């Protein structure tokens, strides 16, 4: 009897969940406030000497912390209670926003002080982004994660379109201080929503990892996860050329389309409308296309729209062309973000998303600078056409470097290992720990065992090991010995109690099934410090 696959979740279905809906609206308000803050800060500097450099530094001061601090922020989000961390970060940003408002009202705001406070707000955003995104899988069912990611893209594009427009009106009628005050109020609103949310303790209830150990563990996970590294590579290959449109759009609106500030807002609105329309069809596209097919299609549509926008001189044609560009931008990045959230295990999710944030914002910064320099030397149209060609070429590389298929993997925590039974009780942070696992493998199974060894190595290294090796016992025929080193007893216990996923457990099960007898495990502990158990 055939089964019919359930229809894909609607883009709006996560909004039916009350907690997610309220948090999404709070984040949207904060994102609108951030764009208002950026416009207000830039407006304060437009009449200063060296205004061009100062105005550009506002964007740099806001985004540089995200590039530099995203992975350390992910460590905090994976080690501490995420709700409480977000509350304290919003209160910090509220204090910075109040200081910005007060100094601006008093006429005491200088360019260095403005940039320093903007950098402070950027530090807050660097912690907020991966922490909030890491909480989303707690808020919605796994089947609705792609829709939640699409709603995240919608909120970003709505904020990009609404924030500057509202800021322009407020600045014209009441001044920059009002813009800063509203931005500060959005942080207070977000903090209140978080405070009222009674989150059930989950993974955060575990003892927090030491900061440096957690940072190194996150780096090891990225280094030994081919699927995650491929996600980051594909994002960079798309972002680096695609950001040319966002970087050069103000110049295009002014110099080629002669549209002025209002026209530039219309172009941004067209991109936002495209993103919303793309979000509406994304669930069905995701149900009918593979991740690689969607990435290729989105990249080619974006490249075509970029080429059209580069050559036309008729404003309405540019507006129409930007709608599919917004849809393609949203589809590529939203699908990548959803894929990451589905793939990353809970214990390292924020650190993985932090690596994604670093790649995303770092690619935007480098790409925008690069295409700006190219446009300055070669001209606007050649630069944008080159960017379109590079975007299309990036789509062609999908055959060479495709995304790994991860939708079928079991990413739930698994505990396939029994609790260690030792005659001594190591101190929590005693180390290094050497784990020795001995298998007895029949000659007919040895080839299959060795074929599984690379997957076994990656599992050990992703979850805590810093060294790994597989050896043959010279005295016993068929005896293969796996040896790996873990920095501390604490990290090894975390391997026992939740770092492994269902997919890791499957690898472990396949390897153990090839042994003629249950593998014997020996834990080699440092001679000092250790305490003898009673």
């Amino acid at each position: 009897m055939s089964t019919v696959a359930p229809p894909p979740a609607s883009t709006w279905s996560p909004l039916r969940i009350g907690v997610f809906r309220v948090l999404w609206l709070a984040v949207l308000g904060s994102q609108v406030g951030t764009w208002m803050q950026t416009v207000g800060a830039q407006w304060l500097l437009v009449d200063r000497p060296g205004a061009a450099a100062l105005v550009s530094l506002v964007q740099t001061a806001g985004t540089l912390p995200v590039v530099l601090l995203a992975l350390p922020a992910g460590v905090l989000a994976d080690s501490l209670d995420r709700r409480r961390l977000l509350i304290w970060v919003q209160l910090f940003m509220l204090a910075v926003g109040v200081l910005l408002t007060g100094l601006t009202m008093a006429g005491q705001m200088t360019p260095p002080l403005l940039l320093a406070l903007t950098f402070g707000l950027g530090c807050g955003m660097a912690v907020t982004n991966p922490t909030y995104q890491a909480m989303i899988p707690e808020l919605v069912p796994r089947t609705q994660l792609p829709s939640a990611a699409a709603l995240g893209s919608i909120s970003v594009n709505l904020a990009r379109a609404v924030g500057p427009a509202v800021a322009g009106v407020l600045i014209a009628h009441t001044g920059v201080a009002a813009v800063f005050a509203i931005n500060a109020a959005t942080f207070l609103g977000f903090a209140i929503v978080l405070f009222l949310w009674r989150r059930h303790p989950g993974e955060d209830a575990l003892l927090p990892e030491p900061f440096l150990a957690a940072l190194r563990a996150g780096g090891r996970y990225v280094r030994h996860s081919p699927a995650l590294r491929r996600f980051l590579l594909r994002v960079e290959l798309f972002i680096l050329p695609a950001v040319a449109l966002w970087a050069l759009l103000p110049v295009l609106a002014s110099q080629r389309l002669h549209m002025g500030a209002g026209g530039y807002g219309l172009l941004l609105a067209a991109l936002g409308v495209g993103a919303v329309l793309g979000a509406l069809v994304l669930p069905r596209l995701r149900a009918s296309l593979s991740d690689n097919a969607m990435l290729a299609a989105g990249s080619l549509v974006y490249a075509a729209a970029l080429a059209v926008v580069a050559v036309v001189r008729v404003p309405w044609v540019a507006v129409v062309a930007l709608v599919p560009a917004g849809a393609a931008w949203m589809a590529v990045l939203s699908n990548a973000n959803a894929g990451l959230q589905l793939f990353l295990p809970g214990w390292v999710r924020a650190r993985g998303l932090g690596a994604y944030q670093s790649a995303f914002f770092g690619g935007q910064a480098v790409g925008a600078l690069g295409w700006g320099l190219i446009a300055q030397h070669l001209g606007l149209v050649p630069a944008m056409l080159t960017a379109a060609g590079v975007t299309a070429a990036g789509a062609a590389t999908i055959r060479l470097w495709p995304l790994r298929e991860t939708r079928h993997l079991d990413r739930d925590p698994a505990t396939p290992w029994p609790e260690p039974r030792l005659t001594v009780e190591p101190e929590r942070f005693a180390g290094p720990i050497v784990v020795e696992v001995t298998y007895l493998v029949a000659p007919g199974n040895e080839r299959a065992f060795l074929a599984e060894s690379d997957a076994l190595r990656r599992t050990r290294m992703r979850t805590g090991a810093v060294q790994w090796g597989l050896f043959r016992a010279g005295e016993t025929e068929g005896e293969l010995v796996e040896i790996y080193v873990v920095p501390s007893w604490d990290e090894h216990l975390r391997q026992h109690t939740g770092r492994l996923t269902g997919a890791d457990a499957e690898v472990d099960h396949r390897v153990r099934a090839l042994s003629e007898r249950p593998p014997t495990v020996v834990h080699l502990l440092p001679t000092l410090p250790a305490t003898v158990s009673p």
Side-chain angles (χ1 to χ4, degrees), residues 9-184:
S10 162
T11 299
W12 313 109
S13 56
L15 293 177
R16 300 190 187 103
I17 302 171
V19 173
F20 178 84
R21 180 174 63 250
V22 174
L23 286 171
W24 184 82
L25 289 172
V27 169
L28 173 61
S30 182
Q31 290 169 337
V32 170
T34 297
W35 276 101
M36 293 172 64
Q37 150 74 27
T38 299
V39 171
Q42 290 173 334
W43 189 259
L44 274 182
L45 299 173
V46 292
D47 294 326
R48 302 274 185 165
L54 289 173
V55 168
S56 64
L57 282 174
V58 170
Q59 196 77 21
T60 302
T63 57
L64 184 61
V66 180
V67 178
L68 298 178
L69 302 178
L71 190 55
V75 171
L76 293 176
D78 282 330
S79 303
L80 305 175
D81 183 289
R82 290 167 182 161
R83 169 181 164 272
R84 292 181 181 177
L85 176 62
L86 279 176
I87 291 174
W88 283 110
V89 170
Q90 302 316 302
L91 293 177
F92 163 76
M93 296 172 76
L94 171 63
V96 175
V98 169
L99 186 59
L100 264 170
T101 305
L103 290 174
T104 302
M105 292 178 65
Q108 300 299 313
M109 184 61 68
T110 63
L113 185 57
L114 177 62
L115 293 175
L117 292 173
T118 301
F119 186 86
L121 291 176
C123 292
M125 291 306 300
V127 179
T128 297
N129 288 339
T131 306
Y132 170 70
Q133 290 196 34
M135 288 198 313
I136 289 177
E138 304 175 27
L139 305 175
V140 302
R142 185 176 176 85
T143 55
Q144 294 185 16
L145 275 178
S147 297
L151 286 168
S153 295
I154 288 175
S155 69
V156 169
N157 285 279
L158 282 176
R160 192 193 299 266
V162 173
V166 174
V169 173
L170 284 175
I171 291 170
H173 289 84
T174 61
V176 175
V179 171
F180 291 164
I182 291 177
N183 185 40

Side-chain angles (χ1 to χ4, degrees), residues 233 321 347 356 377 389 406 425 494 515:
L233 174 64
W347 71 271
Y356 170 82
H377 288 87
T406 60
E425 185 64 31
R494 291 177 188 277
S515 180

Side-chain angles (χ1 to χ4, degrees), residues 370-404:
W371 291 113
L373 294 175
I374 292 172
Q376 183 176 342
H377 288 87
L378 300 181
L380 180 63
V381 174
M384 296 187 72
L385 289 176
T386 302
V390 175
T391 304
T397 65
I398 293 175
R399 297 182 67 87
L400 183 62
W401 300 307
L403 289 171
R404 304 292 180 96

Side-chain angles (χ1 to χ4, degrees), residues 283-416:
R284 295 196 175 277
L285 289 177
R286 186 173 170 83
S288 58
L289 297 177
S290 68
D291 290 336
N292 287 299
M294 189 178 301
L295 174 61
S299 298
L300 292 174
V301 169
Y302 192 91
L306 180 54
V308 170
V309 171
V311 299
V312 300
R313 287 184 171 273
V314 182
W316 71 265
V317 177
V319 170
V320 172
L322 287 173
V323 173
W329 173 275
M330 192 283 310
V332 170
L333 296 178
S334 174
N335 196 54
N337 186 277
L340 268 180
Q341 292 194 34
L342 289 167
F343 171 75
L344 289 167
W347 71 271
V348 77
R349 184 178 295 126
R351 279 165 280 187
L353 290 169
Y356 170 82
Q357 296 277 345
S358 291
F360 178 76
F361 285 100
Q364 281 192 310
V366 172
L369 175 62
W371 291 113
L373 294 175
I374 292 172
Q376 183 176 342
H377 288 87
L378 300 181
L380 180 63
V381 174
M384 296 187 72
L385 289 176
T386 302
V390 175
T391 304
T397 65
I398 293 175
R399 297 182 67 87
L400 183 62
W401 300 307
L403 289 171
R404 304 292 180 96
E405 180 53 55
T406 60
R407 297 189 191 184
H408 67 287
L409 296 178
D410 181 0
R411 310 308 291 166
D412 291 331
T415 54

Side-chain angles (χ1 to χ4, degrees), residues 186-268:
T186 65
F187 301 137
L188 177 60
F190 194 10
I192 291 173
V193 169
L194 290 164
F195 181 78
L196 294 176
W197 173 32
R198 291 295 175 258
R199 180 185 180 223
H200 296 292
E203 293 158 356
D204 295 350
L206 298 174
L207 286 174
E209 296 181 66
F211 182 83
L212 291 179
L215 186 62
R216 289 192 289 266
R220 284 197 303 270
Y221 190 90
V222 173
R223 189 162 63 252
H224 295 289
S225 176
L228 176 54
R229 294 202 314 273
R230 189 59 57 83
F231 269 116
L232 300 180
L233 174 64
R234 293 309 329 175
V235 167
E236 288 290 1
L237 289 176
F238 177 75
I239 283 291
L240 284 170
V243 75
L245 177 61
W246 298 95
L248 301 177
L249 194 61
V251 183
L252 180 83
S254 175
Q255 296 183 7
R256 280 189 62 81
L257 301 177
H258 307 291
M259 297 180 71
Y264 174 54
L266 180 61
L267 297 178
L268 287 177

